[in-house]
Amino acid sequence: PQASSARNHFSGVVRDVGIMGAYARVSVEVQGVPFVALLTLPSLRELALDEGEFVHLTFKAFAVHLC
């Protein structure tokens, strides 16, 4: 993971990548708990995310939306 002031760091596996217009909805499973992130399509291409890949999640608390 890159250096950041964000305090929330998790590692997990990409379970689903869905395209929603100009955005991608990426679901990551962390110890059985699903995390969902919305990315722009250029970001998705740059990160080259695909199902089954191991990834690191880093975010700040104010970026969290509970559903």
Side-chain angles (χ1 to χ4, degrees):
Q2 295 181 345
S4 170
S5 64
R7 300 284 183 218
N8 300 288
H9 307 279
F10 299 93
S11 297
V13 177
V14 176
R15 292 298 181 208
D16 184 57
V17 177
I19 305 302
M20 300 170 34
Y23 295 92
R25 182 181 185 274
V26 180
S27 296
V28 178
E29 184 178 325
V30 177
Q31 296 182 347
V33 178
F35 285 73
V36 177
L38 289 179
L39 306 174
T40 63
L41 293 181
S43 293
L44 178 67
R45 285 191 293 274
E46 181 180 326
L47 294 169
L49 297 175
D50 203 0
E51 290 180 32
E53 290 196 44
F54 185 78
V55 295
H56 298 282
L57 306 174
T58 301
F59 55 91
K60 293 189 175 205
F62 70 83
V64 173
H65 299 268
L66 300 177
C67 301

